[in-house]
Amino acid sequence: MSDDNNKDVIVIVDDKPTNLGVLFDFLTDSGFKVLVAQDGESAIQKVEYAHPDLILLDVMMPGIDGFETCRRLKANPSTQDIPVIFMTALSETVDKVKGFSLGAVDYVTKPVQQEEVRARVTLHLTIRNLQKKLQEQNLQLQKAEEKYRSIFENATEGIFQATPEGRYITANPALARIFGYFSPEILMNEITDIGKQLYVEPMRRDDLVTLMNREDTLSDFESQVNRRDGSVIWISENIRTVRDAKGQLLYYEGSVTDITERKQSEVALRLARKRAELLLLNILPQPIAERLKRGQRTLAESFEDVTVLFADLVDFTKFSAQTSPTELVELLNVIFSKFDRLAEQHGIEKIKTIGDAYMVVAGLPMPRRDHASAIAQMALDMQDAIAQLNLDLDKSFRLRIGIHSGPVVAGVIGIRKFSYDLWGDTVNIASRMESQGLPGFIQVSATTYELLRDRYLFEERSPIQVKGKGEMVTYLLTSRKSED
Protein backbone atom coordinates (compact mmCIF):
# COMPACT_ATOMS: atom_id res chain seq x y z
CA MET A 1 0.00 0.00 0.00
CA SER A 2 1.21 3.52 -0.78
CA ASP A 3 1.84 5.91 2.07
CA ASP A 4 -0.35 9.01 1.64
CA ASN A 5 1.83 10.87 4.12
CA ASN A 6 4.67 10.83 1.60
CA LYS A 7 2.58 12.09 -1.32
CA ASP A 8 2.50 15.68 -2.52
CA VAL A 9 -0.86 17.24 -1.70
CA ILE A 10 -2.74 19.23 -4.36
CA VAL A 11 -5.91 21.29 -3.84
CA ILE A 12 -8.09 21.72 -6.97
CA VAL A 13 -10.52 24.66 -6.94
CA ASP A 14 -13.23 24.67 -9.64
CA ASP A 15 -16.96 25.32 -9.52
CA LYS A 16 -17.61 22.68 -12.22
CA PRO A 17 -18.04 19.19 -10.69
CA THR A 18 -17.14 17.58 -14.03
CA ASN A 19 -13.78 19.40 -14.16
CA LEU A 20 -13.10 18.50 -10.54
CA GLY A 21 -13.86 14.85 -11.17
CA VAL A 22 -11.62 14.56 -14.22
CA LEU A 23 -8.67 16.31 -12.59
CA PHE A 24 -9.19 14.47 -9.29
CA ASP A 25 -9.06 11.05 -10.99
CA PHE A 26 -6.12 11.98 -13.24
CA LEU A 27 -3.93 13.49 -10.53
CA THR A 28 -4.80 10.77 -8.03
CA ASP A 29 -3.79 8.14 -10.60
CA SER A 30 -0.58 10.14 -11.14
CA GLY A 31 0.41 9.57 -7.51
CA PHE A 32 -0.77 12.76 -5.80
CA LYS A 33 -3.06 13.21 -2.81
CA VAL A 34 -5.88 15.43 -4.09
CA LEU A 35 -8.39 17.65 -2.23
CA VAL A 36 -11.16 19.61 -3.96
CA ALA A 37 -13.14 22.81 -3.41
CA GLN A 38 -15.94 24.37 -5.48
CA ASP A 39 -15.60 28.03 -4.47
CA GLY A 40 -13.03 30.50 -3.22
CA GLU A 41 -14.20 30.66 0.40
CA SER A 42 -14.12 26.91 0.96
CA ALA A 43 -10.81 26.73 -0.91
CA ILE A 44 -9.21 29.21 1.50
CA GLN A 45 -10.45 27.22 4.49
CA LYS A 46 -9.25 23.92 3.01
CA VAL A 47 -5.81 25.34 2.17
CA GLU A 48 -5.38 26.79 5.66
CA TYR A 49 -6.33 23.42 7.15
CA ALA A 50 -4.46 21.03 4.84
CA HIS A 51 -1.52 23.28 3.88
CA PRO A 52 -1.02 21.55 0.48
CA ASP A 53 2.08 21.54 -1.68
CA LEU A 54 0.34 23.14 -4.69
CA ILE A 55 -3.00 24.72 -5.68
CA LEU A 56 -4.77 24.43 -9.06
CA LEU A 57 -7.11 27.44 -9.05
CA ASP A 58 -9.89 28.22 -11.53
CA VAL A 59 -10.18 31.93 -12.38
CA MET A 60 -13.92 32.21 -13.19
CA MET A 61 -15.99 31.18 -10.16
CA PRO A 62 -19.12 32.48 -8.42
CA GLY A 63 -18.58 34.50 -5.27
CA ILE A 64 -14.94 35.48 -4.95
CA ASP A 65 -13.14 34.64 -8.17
CA GLY A 66 -9.73 33.02 -8.58
CA PHE A 67 -7.86 36.34 -8.57
CA GLU A 68 -9.32 37.38 -5.20
CA THR A 69 -8.83 33.88 -3.79
CA CYS A 70 -5.15 34.01 -4.79
CA ARG A 71 -4.76 37.49 -3.33
CA ARG A 72 -6.11 36.34 0.05
CA LEU A 73 -3.94 33.23 0.08
CA LYS A 74 -0.81 35.25 -0.69
CA ALA A 75 -1.71 37.79 2.03
CA ASN A 76 -1.82 35.02 4.64
CA PRO A 77 1.69 34.22 6.02
CA SER A 78 0.69 30.58 6.57
CA THR A 79 -0.30 30.02 2.91
CA GLN A 80 1.64 32.62 0.94
CA ASP A 81 4.46 30.26 -0.03
CA ILE A 82 2.20 27.62 -1.60
CA PRO A 83 2.57 27.75 -5.41
CA VAL A 84 -0.63 28.57 -7.31
CA ILE A 85 -1.29 27.53 -10.93
CA PHE A 86 -4.25 29.28 -12.55
CA MET A 87 -6.69 27.36 -14.74
CA THR A 88 -8.20 29.88 -17.11
CA ALA A 89 -10.16 30.13 -20.32
CA LEU A 90 -9.04 33.76 -20.59
CA SER A 91 -6.62 34.41 -23.43
CA GLU A 92 -5.83 38.07 -22.76
CA THR A 93 -2.23 38.68 -21.75
CA VAL A 94 -3.36 41.27 -19.21
CA ASP A 95 -5.29 38.58 -17.31
CA LYS A 96 -2.24 36.33 -17.21
CA VAL A 97 -0.05 39.20 -16.07
CA LYS A 98 -2.62 39.97 -13.36
CA GLY A 99 -2.43 36.39 -12.17
CA PHE A 100 1.37 36.50 -12.00
CA SER A 101 1.29 39.86 -10.20
CA LEU A 102 -0.91 38.30 -7.53
CA GLY A 103 1.70 35.60 -6.93
CA ALA A 104 0.74 32.74 -9.24
CA VAL A 105 3.67 30.73 -10.59
CA ASP A 106 2.06 29.45 -13.79
CA TYR A 107 -1.20 28.92 -15.68
CA VAL A 108 -2.90 26.32 -17.85
CA THR A 109 -5.49 27.18 -20.45
CA LYS A 110 -8.92 25.57 -20.45
CA PRO A 111 -9.96 23.10 -21.66
CA VAL A 112 -6.97 21.67 -19.80
CA GLN A 113 -4.74 19.02 -21.33
CA GLN A 114 -3.95 16.34 -18.78
CA GLU A 115 -0.32 15.88 -19.80
CA GLU A 116 0.24 19.65 -19.67
CA VAL A 117 -1.28 19.78 -16.19
CA ARG A 118 0.95 16.92 -15.02
CA ALA A 119 4.05 18.52 -16.56
CA ARG A 120 3.43 21.91 -14.99
CA VAL A 121 2.44 20.45 -11.63
CA THR A 122 5.51 18.20 -11.61
CA LEU A 123 7.80 21.10 -12.59
CA HIS A 124 6.63 23.41 -9.82
CA LEU A 125 6.57 20.67 -7.20
CA THR A 126 10.14 19.77 -8.21
CA ILE A 127 11.23 23.41 -7.90
CA ARG A 128 9.46 23.68 -4.53
CA ASN A 129 11.13 20.53 -3.22
CA LEU A 130 14.55 21.63 -4.49
CA GLN A 131 14.20 24.99 -2.80
CA LYS A 132 13.13 23.28 0.43
CA LYS A 133 16.30 21.18 0.27
CA LEU A 134 18.38 24.29 -0.41
CA GLN A 135 16.81 26.05 2.56
CA GLU A 136 17.54 23.04 4.77
CA GLN A 137 21.14 22.89 3.51
CA ASN A 138 21.63 26.61 4.07
CA LEU A 139 20.19 26.29 7.58
CA GLN A 140 22.50 23.39 8.37
CA LEU A 141 25.49 25.29 6.98
CA GLN A 142 24.52 28.36 8.97
CA LYS A 143 24.33 26.27 12.14
CA ALA A 144 27.70 24.66 11.35
CA GLU A 145 29.28 28.04 10.67
CA GLU A 146 27.89 29.42 13.94
CA LYS A 147 29.22 26.39 15.80
CA TYR A 148 32.72 26.73 14.37
CA ARG A 149 32.73 30.51 14.88
CA SER A 150 31.74 30.03 18.50
CA ILE A 151 34.52 27.47 18.98
CA PHE A 152 36.99 29.86 17.38
CA GLU A 153 35.98 32.91 19.43
CA ASN A 154 35.80 31.13 22.77
CA ALA A 155 38.85 28.87 22.49
CA THR A 156 41.69 29.35 24.96
CA GLU A 157 44.59 30.85 23.04
CA GLY A 158 48.16 29.69 23.14
CA ILE A 159 50.57 32.32 24.51
CA PHE A 160 54.29 32.38 23.72
CA GLN A 161 57.57 34.28 23.66
CA ALA A 162 60.21 33.26 21.11
CA THR A 163 63.76 34.29 20.27
CA PRO A 164 64.65 35.74 16.86
CA GLU A 165 66.60 32.51 16.24
CA GLY A 166 63.43 30.41 16.57
CA ARG A 167 63.24 28.92 20.06
CA TYR A 168 60.39 29.27 22.54
CA ILE A 169 61.28 31.16 25.71
CA THR A 170 57.89 30.70 27.35
CA ALA A 171 54.74 28.79 26.36
CA ASN A 172 51.44 28.19 28.11
CA PRO A 173 49.55 24.86 28.39
CA ALA A 174 47.08 25.91 25.65
CA LEU A 175 49.94 26.33 23.15
CA ALA A 176 51.28 22.90 24.07
CA ARG A 177 47.85 21.34 23.55
CA ILE A 178 47.44 23.07 20.17
CA PHE A 179 50.72 21.61 18.92
CA GLY A 180 50.07 18.20 20.50
CA TYR A 181 52.55 18.25 23.40
CA PHE A 182 51.86 17.05 26.93
CA SER A 183 53.32 20.13 28.59
CA PRO A 184 54.92 23.49 27.78
CA GLU A 185 58.26 22.17 29.04
CA ILE A 186 58.31 19.29 26.57
CA LEU A 187 57.31 21.71 23.81
CA MET A 188 60.19 24.11 24.56
CA ASN A 189 62.73 21.29 24.92
CA GLU A 190 61.82 19.48 21.68
CA ILE A 191 61.24 22.45 19.36
CA THR A 192 64.64 24.00 18.83
CA ASP A 193 63.93 25.51 15.39
CA ILE A 194 60.35 26.81 14.96
CA GLY A 195 60.75 27.48 11.25
CA LYS A 196 61.90 23.96 10.35
CA GLN A 197 59.96 21.90 12.88
CA LEU A 198 56.56 23.60 12.96
CA TYR A 199 55.70 25.29 9.67
CA VAL A 200 54.67 23.11 6.73
CA GLU A 201 55.94 25.68 4.21
CA PRO A 202 59.77 25.78 4.49
CA MET A 203 60.02 29.60 4.17
CA ARG A 204 56.94 30.50 6.23
CA ARG A 205 58.95 31.53 9.33
CA ASP A 206 61.19 33.70 7.15
CA ASP A 207 58.10 35.43 5.71
CA LEU A 208 56.85 36.10 9.22
CA VAL A 209 60.18 37.58 10.36
CA THR A 210 60.36 39.81 7.27
CA LEU A 211 56.89 41.20 7.98
CA MET A 212 57.68 41.68 11.66
CA ASN A 213 60.86 43.66 10.93
CA ARG A 214 58.83 45.95 8.70
CA GLU A 215 55.65 46.38 10.74
CA ASP A 216 56.53 45.41 14.37
CA THR A 217 53.02 43.90 14.72
CA LEU A 218 51.28 41.18 12.78
CA SER A 219 47.62 40.14 13.00
CA ASP A 220 45.85 37.00 11.76
CA PHE A 221 48.94 35.46 10.20
CA GLU A 222 47.56 32.10 9.02
CA SER A 223 49.74 29.07 8.43
CA GLN A 224 49.71 25.29 8.34
CA VAL A 225 51.81 23.65 11.05
CA ASN A 226 52.89 20.13 11.99
CA ARG A 227 51.70 18.74 15.32
CA ARG A 228 53.82 16.37 17.34
CA ASP A 229 51.84 13.32 16.08
CA GLY A 230 52.53 14.26 12.44
CA SER A 231 49.08 15.70 11.72
CA VAL A 232 48.73 19.12 10.10
CA ILE A 233 46.53 21.94 11.42
CA TRP A 234 45.81 25.57 10.57
CA ILE A 235 46.76 28.29 13.07
CA SER A 236 46.29 32.05 13.22
CA GLU A 237 48.96 34.14 14.97
CA ASN A 238 48.90 37.67 16.42
CA ILE A 239 52.50 38.75 17.11
CA ARG A 240 54.43 41.86 18.15
CA THR A 241 58.12 42.61 18.60
CA VAL A 242 59.66 43.42 21.97
CA ARG A 243 62.70 45.72 21.84
CA ASP A 244 65.05 47.28 24.40
CA ALA A 245 65.50 51.00 25.03
CA LYS A 246 67.93 51.25 22.11
CA GLY A 247 65.50 49.56 19.72
CA GLN A 248 67.33 46.26 19.61
CA LEU A 249 65.06 43.23 19.09
CA LEU A 250 64.82 41.08 22.22
CA TYR A 251 62.10 38.54 21.33
CA TYR A 252 58.69 38.03 19.75
CA GLU A 253 55.53 37.47 21.76
CA GLY A 254 51.99 36.72 20.76
CA SER A 255 49.06 34.34 20.67
CA VAL A 256 48.14 31.30 18.61
CA THR A 257 44.65 30.05 17.80
CA ASP A 258 43.77 26.74 16.18
CA ILE A 259 41.52 27.70 13.21
CA THR A 260 41.38 24.28 11.56
CA GLU A 261 37.65 23.87 12.13
CA ARG A 262 36.93 27.34 10.72
CA LYS A 263 38.97 26.53 7.61
CA GLN A 264 37.06 23.28 7.13
CA SER A 265 33.81 25.16 7.59
CA GLU A 266 34.84 27.72 4.96
CA VAL A 267 35.64 24.93 2.49
CA ALA A 268 32.28 23.24 3.19
CA LEU A 269 30.47 26.57 2.83
CA ARG A 270 32.17 27.29 -0.50
CA LEU A 271 31.23 23.86 -1.81
CA ALA A 272 27.61 24.27 -0.68
CA ARG A 273 27.37 27.71 -2.30
CA LYS A 274 28.80 26.30 -5.51
CA ARG A 275 26.19 23.52 -5.49
CA ALA A 276 23.44 26.07 -4.88
CA GLU A 277 24.72 28.26 -7.75
CA LEU A 278 24.83 25.28 -10.11
CA LEU A 279 21.25 24.42 -9.19
CA LEU A 280 20.17 28.02 -9.86
CA LEU A 281 21.91 27.94 -13.25
CA ASN A 282 19.93 24.80 -14.15
CA ILE A 283 16.73 26.79 -13.63
CA LEU A 284 17.62 30.24 -14.97
CA PRO A 285 19.93 31.76 -17.61
CA GLN A 286 23.29 32.78 -16.12
CA PRO A 287 22.82 36.60 -16.47
CA ILE A 288 19.40 36.32 -14.77
CA ALA A 289 20.78 34.09 -12.02
CA GLU A 290 23.60 36.58 -11.37
CA ARG A 291 21.10 39.44 -11.02
CA LEU A 292 19.01 37.40 -8.59
CA LYS A 293 22.11 36.64 -6.52
CA ARG A 294 22.80 40.40 -6.33
CA GLY A 295 19.37 40.87 -4.78
CA GLN A 296 17.40 42.19 -7.77
CA ARG A 297 13.82 40.98 -7.54
CA THR A 298 11.98 42.57 -10.49
CA LEU A 299 13.31 40.81 -13.57
CA ALA A 300 11.22 41.61 -16.65
CA GLU A 301 12.65 42.94 -19.92
CA SER A 302 11.50 43.64 -23.45
CA PHE A 303 13.54 42.30 -26.36
CA GLU A 304 12.76 43.65 -29.81
CA ASP A 305 14.56 41.09 -31.95
CA VAL A 306 14.49 37.43 -30.98
CA THR A 307 13.59 34.17 -32.68
CA VAL A 308 11.48 31.54 -30.90
CA LEU A 309 11.40 27.82 -31.74
CA PHE A 310 8.80 25.27 -30.67
CA ALA A 311 9.32 21.58 -31.39
CA ASP A 312 6.97 18.68 -30.80
CA LEU A 313 7.34 14.92 -31.21
CA VAL A 314 4.62 13.82 -33.62
CA ASP A 315 2.21 11.14 -32.29
CA PHE A 316 4.20 10.89 -29.08
CA THR A 317 1.01 10.71 -27.00
CA LYS A 318 0.04 7.52 -28.85
CA PHE A 319 3.55 6.15 -28.38
CA SER A 320 3.51 6.97 -24.65
CA ALA A 321 0.30 4.98 -24.16
CA GLN A 322 2.15 1.87 -25.35
CA THR A 323 5.35 2.47 -23.37
CA SER A 324 6.21 2.02 -19.70
CA PRO A 325 6.68 5.23 -17.68
CA THR A 326 10.33 4.42 -16.97
CA GLU A 327 11.18 3.80 -20.62
CA LEU A 328 9.23 6.92 -21.63
CA VAL A 329 11.11 9.18 -19.24
CA GLU A 330 14.47 7.67 -20.20
CA LEU A 331 13.73 8.20 -23.90
CA LEU A 332 12.63 11.81 -23.40
CA ASN A 333 15.76 12.39 -21.37
CA VAL A 334 17.93 11.07 -24.22
CA ILE A 335 16.14 13.25 -26.80
CA PHE A 336 16.04 16.45 -24.77
CA SER A 337 19.63 15.98 -23.61
CA LYS A 338 20.69 15.96 -27.26
CA PHE A 339 18.65 19.13 -27.84
CA ASP A 340 20.17 20.76 -24.73
CA ARG A 341 23.67 20.11 -26.04
CA LEU A 342 22.72 21.61 -29.40
CA ALA A 343 21.29 24.70 -27.66
CA GLU A 344 24.51 25.13 -25.71
CA GLN A 345 26.55 24.62 -28.88
CA HIS A 346 24.62 27.33 -30.76
CA GLY A 347 24.44 29.76 -27.82
CA ILE A 348 20.67 29.45 -27.58
CA GLU A 349 18.59 29.75 -24.41
CA LYS A 350 16.38 26.82 -23.50
CA ILE A 351 13.13 28.08 -21.96
CA LYS A 352 11.26 24.93 -20.99
CA THR A 353 9.91 21.52 -21.90
CA ILE A 354 6.23 20.66 -21.55
CA GLY A 355 5.61 16.95 -21.97
CA ASP A 356 7.13 16.12 -25.35
CA ALA A 357 7.34 19.77 -26.46
CA TYR A 358 10.59 21.73 -26.45
CA MET A 359 10.99 25.54 -26.53
CA VAL A 360 14.14 27.63 -27.12
CA VAL A 361 14.89 31.24 -28.04
CA ALA A 362 17.85 33.11 -29.52
CA GLY A 363 18.53 36.79 -28.88
CA LEU A 364 18.06 36.89 -25.12
CA PRO A 365 18.98 37.43 -22.35
CA MET A 366 22.01 38.65 -24.34
CA PRO A 367 20.90 40.22 -27.67
CA ARG A 368 22.54 38.90 -30.84
CA ARG A 369 22.14 39.98 -34.49
CA ASP A 370 22.16 36.42 -35.89
CA HIS A 371 19.29 35.16 -33.70
CA ALA A 372 17.26 33.86 -36.67
CA SER A 373 20.23 32.07 -38.22
CA ALA A 374 21.16 30.45 -34.90
CA ILE A 375 17.65 29.08 -34.47
CA ALA A 376 17.50 27.90 -38.11
CA GLN A 377 20.71 25.92 -37.69
CA MET A 378 19.45 24.58 -34.36
CA ALA A 379 16.26 23.35 -36.07
CA LEU A 380 18.18 21.59 -38.85
CA ASP A 381 20.50 19.98 -36.31
CA MET A 382 17.50 18.83 -34.26
CA GLN A 383 16.09 17.07 -37.32
CA ASP A 384 19.47 15.41 -37.93
CA ALA A 385 19.62 14.37 -34.26
CA ILE A 386 16.18 12.74 -34.43
CA ALA A 387 17.12 10.96 -37.66
CA GLN A 388 20.28 9.56 -36.02
CA LEU A 389 18.32 8.56 -32.93
CA ASN A 390 15.85 6.65 -35.09
CA LEU A 391 18.76 4.73 -36.63
CA ASP A 392 20.36 4.02 -33.25
CA LEU A 393 17.14 2.94 -31.51
CA ASP A 394 15.17 1.56 -34.47
CA LYS A 395 12.40 4.13 -33.93
CA SER A 396 10.42 6.32 -36.32
CA PHE A 397 10.07 9.60 -34.43
CA ARG A 398 9.34 12.77 -36.38
CA LEU A 399 9.67 16.36 -35.24
CA ARG A 400 7.28 19.15 -36.08
CA ILE A 401 9.09 22.47 -35.65
CA GLY A 402 7.74 26.03 -35.81
CA ILE A 403 9.76 29.28 -35.84
CA HIS A 404 8.84 32.97 -35.68
CA SER A 405 10.84 36.17 -35.06
CA GLY A 406 9.85 39.38 -33.34
CA PRO A 407 9.59 41.14 -29.96
CA VAL A 408 8.92 39.40 -26.64
CA VAL A 409 8.73 40.14 -22.94
CA ALA A 410 10.92 37.87 -20.81
CA GLY A 411 11.09 37.60 -17.06
CA VAL A 412 11.16 35.51 -13.92
CA ILE A 413 7.84 34.10 -12.73
CA GLY A 414 7.21 33.79 -9.01
CA ILE A 415 8.85 35.09 -5.86
CA ARG A 416 10.49 31.99 -4.44
CA LYS A 417 9.77 29.32 -7.07
CA PHE A 418 11.65 30.77 -9.99
CA SER A 419 10.86 30.10 -13.66
CA TYR A 420 12.13 32.09 -16.66
CA ASP A 421 9.50 32.46 -19.39
CA LEU A 422 8.46 34.50 -22.45
CA TRP A 423 5.24 36.29 -23.37
CA GLY A 424 3.89 38.10 -26.38
CA ASP A 425 2.49 37.65 -29.86
CA THR A 426 5.83 36.32 -31.14
CA VAL A 427 5.57 33.35 -28.78
CA ASN A 428 1.97 32.65 -29.83
CA ILE A 429 2.80 32.75 -33.55
CA ALA A 430 5.85 30.51 -33.09
CA SER A 431 3.62 28.03 -31.27
CA ARG A 432 1.08 28.18 -34.14
CA MET A 433 3.88 27.61 -36.68
CA GLU A 434 4.63 24.36 -34.86
CA SER A 435 1.09 23.15 -34.15
CA GLN A 436 -0.07 23.84 -37.73
CA GLY A 437 3.11 22.65 -39.39
CA LEU A 438 3.85 19.36 -41.12
CA PRO A 439 5.34 16.27 -39.43
CA GLY A 440 9.05 16.03 -40.17
CA PHE A 441 9.30 19.65 -41.40
CA ILE A 442 10.39 23.05 -40.12
CA GLN A 443 7.75 25.74 -40.71
CA VAL A 444 8.73 29.40 -40.41
CA SER A 445 6.75 32.61 -40.64
CA ALA A 446 7.21 35.16 -43.41
CA THR A 447 9.03 37.41 -40.90
CA THR A 448 11.65 34.77 -40.18
CA TYR A 449 11.85 33.85 -43.88
CA GLU A 450 12.87 37.43 -44.75
CA LEU A 451 15.69 37.24 -42.19
CA LEU A 452 17.00 33.94 -43.56
CA ARG A 453 16.24 33.88 -47.30
CA ASP A 454 19.79 34.86 -48.32
CA ARG A 455 21.46 31.99 -46.45
CA TYR A 456 18.89 29.17 -46.37
CA LEU A 457 16.66 27.29 -48.81
CA PHE A 458 12.87 27.25 -48.40
CA GLU A 459 9.71 25.89 -49.97
CA GLU A 460 6.72 28.23 -49.93
CA ARG A 461 3.47 26.72 -48.67
CA SER A 462 -0.01 27.63 -49.77
CA PRO A 463 -1.49 30.19 -47.36
CA ILE A 464 -2.76 28.56 -44.16
CA GLN A 465 -5.36 29.66 -41.65
CA VAL A 466 -3.67 30.50 -38.35
CA LYS A 467 -5.85 30.70 -35.27
CA GLY A 468 -6.17 34.30 -34.16
CA LYS A 469 -4.20 35.60 -37.16
CA GLY A 470 -6.21 34.61 -40.18
CA GLU A 471 -4.54 33.58 -43.43
CA MET A 472 -0.72 33.56 -43.35
CA VAL A 473 1.98 32.72 -45.87
CA THR A 474 4.54 30.33 -44.39
CA TYR A 475 7.66 28.56 -45.59
CA LEU A 476 9.33 25.21 -44.99
CA LEU A 477 13.01 25.48 -44.14
CA THR A 478 14.87 22.72 -45.99
CA SER A 479 18.62 23.39 -45.75
CA ARG A 480 21.42 25.91 -45.65
CA LYS A 481 22.57 27.36 -48.99
CA SER A 482 25.89 26.19 -50.34
CA GLU A 483 28.73 28.66 -49.77
CA ASP A 484 30.34 27.87 -53.14
Side-chain angles (χ1 to χ4, degrees), residues 391-403:
L391 289 176
D392 295 341
L393 302 180
D394 192 24
K395 302 291 184 182
S396 57
F397 293 120
R398 291 181 297 168
L399 275 181
R400 185 172 53 231
I401 297 176
I403 300 173

Side-chain angles (χ1 to χ4, degrees), residues 5 14 17 29 68 109 166 220 232 235 239 267 295 328 417 462 478:
N5 293 328
D14 197 313
D29 291 342
E68 178 61 16
T109 304
D220 301 322
V232 176
I235 63 169
I239 310 171
V267 171
L328 190 67
K417 318 298 183 279
S462 299
T478 59

Side-chain angles (χ1 to χ4, degrees), residues 41 99 125 149 151 177 186 216 299 317 348 365 367 417 457 463:
E41 294 286 356
L125 287 175
R149 190 180 300 277
I151 292 173
R177 287 195 298 272
I186 296 175
D216 276 345
L299 294 176
T317 301
I348 291 171
K417 318 298 183 279
L457 297 175

Side-chain angles (χ1 to χ4, degrees), residues 45-298:
Q45 294 177 3
K46 191 153 292 185
V47 169
E48 289 178 340
Y49 170 77
H51 203 76
D53 299 289
L54 185 139
I55 303 167
L56 280 170
L57 177 61
D58 187 25
V59 170
M60 305 301 293
M61 294 187 298
I64 63 171
D65 62 10
F67 292 137
E68 178 61 16
T69 303
C70 183
R71 187 193 65 77
R72 294 189 188 182
L73 289 171
K74 294 303 178 181
N76 186 338
S78 68
T79 60
Q80 63 183 4
D81 291 336
I82 303 172
V84 174
I85 297 178
F86 275 120
M87 298 184 294
T88 175
L90 301 175
S91 60
E92 292 295 327
T93 300
V94 65
D95 294 306
K96 297 168 185 175
V97 171
K98 180 178 180 181
F100 291 138
S101 68
L102 291 170
V105 299
D106 209 344
Y107 70 91
V108 291
T109 304
K110 286 188 172 183
V112 298
Q113 301 296 317
Q114 292 183 350
E115 290 304 319
E116 181 186 9
V117 170
R118 175 157 51 196
R120 291 179 184 268
V121 165
T122 301
L123 169 66
H124 291 291
L125 287 175
T126 299
I127 293 173
R128 178 177 173 85
N129 291 333
L130 285 173
Q131 291 181 332
K132 282 183 177 180
K133 289 181 181 179
L134 277 175
Q135 290 171 353
E136 291 173 0
Q137 289 178 358
N138 288 336
L139 181 60
Q140 291 173 358
L141 286 170
Q142 182 180 358
K143 289 180 178 179
E145 187 176 30
E146 290 172 355
K147 172 187 174 182
Y148 295 142
R149 190 180 300 277
S150 174
I151 292 173
F152 168 75
E153 291 176 349
N154 296 309
T156 303
E157 296 179 335
I159 307 298
F160 71 88
Q161 292 177 324
T163 67
E165 293 75 28
R167 292 199 63 152
Y168 285 115
I169 304 170
T170 59
N172 69 344
L175 186 72
R177 287 195 298 272
I178 289 172
F179 293 148
Y181 291 85
F182 293 110
S183 69
E185 292 74 22
I186 296 175
L187 168 69
M188 290 186 288
N189 286 334
E190 292 192 7
I191 297 181
T192 58
D193 190 325
I194 295 173
K196 291 181 178 179
Q197 292 176 259
L198 276 183
Y199 292 97
V200 172
E201 295 181 25
M203 302 301 294
R204 193 61 174 167
R205 170 73 176 180
D206 293 339
D207 294 340
L208 185 152
V209 170
T210 299
L211 292 171
M212 290 299 302
N213 289 338
R214 187 167 60 206
E215 303 292 342
D216 276 345
T217 60
L218 195 60
S219 299
D220 301 322
F221 187 79
E222 297 181 359
S223 310
Q224 285 184 292
V225 296
N226 297 299
R227 300 183 82 243
R228 192 187 191 198
D229 61 5
S231 61
V232 176
I233 63 171
W234 277 94
I235 63 169
S236 176
E237 298 178 85
N238 296 310
I239 310 171
R240 73 180 189 93
T241 60
V242 178
R243 302 179 183 274
D244 62 18
K246 296 181 180 180
Q248 296 295 315
L249 177 62
L250 298 176
Y251 56 85
Y252 303 109
E253 66 180 13
S255 62
V256 173
T257 304
D258 184 345
I259 61 169
T260 304
E261 292 189 47
R262 176 168 68 82
K263 284 287 186 180
Q264 292 172 343
S265 176
E266 289 172 356
V267 171
L269 190 59
R270 284 197 298 271
L271 291 174
R273 284 174 177 166
K274 186 175 181 180
R275 286 195 295 268
E277 289 177 2
L278 289 174
L279 177 59
L280 192 60
L281 289 174
N282 282 333
I283 300 173
L284 301 174
Q286 183 172 358
I288 303 301
E290 292 297 330
R291 289 163 63 183
L292 280 173
K293 284 161 55 181
R294 292 196 297 267
Q296 188 173 347
R297 287 293 174 260
T298 303

Side-chain angles (χ1 to χ4, degrees), residues 266-367:
E266 289 172 356
V267 171
L269 190 59
R270 284 197 298 271
L271 291 174
R273 284 174 177 166
K274 186 175 181 180
R275 286 195 295 268
E277 289 177 2
L278 289 174
L279 177 59
L280 192 60
L281 289 174
N282 282 333
I283 300 173
L284 301 174
Q286 183 172 358
I288 303 301
E290 292 297 330
R291 289 163 63 183
L292 280 173
K293 284 161 55 181
R294 292 196 297 267
Q296 188 173 347
R297 287 293 174 260
T298 303
L299 294 176
E301 298 177 277
S302 295
F303 296 88
E304 293 302 317
D305 295 300
V306 305
T307 298
V308 179
L309 177 151
F310 280 90
D312 187 70
L313 287 165
V314 180
D315 295 330
F316 196 78
T317 301
K318 180 180 179 181
F319 171 81
S320 63
Q322 304 167 353
T323 308
S324 70
T326 301
E327 182 182 352
L328 190 67
V329 171
E330 290 177 351
L331 183 58
L332 281 175
N333 183 58
V334 170
I335 295 172
F336 288 160
S337 293
K338 288 180 179 291
F339 293 170
D340 287 348
R341 285 191 286 271
L342 288 174
E344 184 176 0
Q345 174 185 330
H346 292 293
I348 291 171
E349 195 64 48
K350 174 184 173 183
I351 299 301
K352 58 187 173 184
T353 59
I354 304 173
D356 61 332
Y358 191 83
M359 177 185 178
V360 293
V361 61
L364 64 78
M366 300 301 294

Side-chain angles (χ1 to χ4, degrees), residues 12-14 17-30 34 36 56 87 108 110 112-114 117-118:
I12 308 172
V13 188
D14 197 313
T18 302
N19 294 343
L20 284 176
V22 170
L23 284 173
F24 179 91
D25 292 340
F26 171 70
L27 291 173
T28 299
D29 291 342
S30 297
V34 182
V36 299
L56 280 170
M87 298 184 294
V108 291
K110 286 188 172 183
V112 298
Q113 301 296 317
Q114 292 183 350
V117 170
R118 175 157 51 196

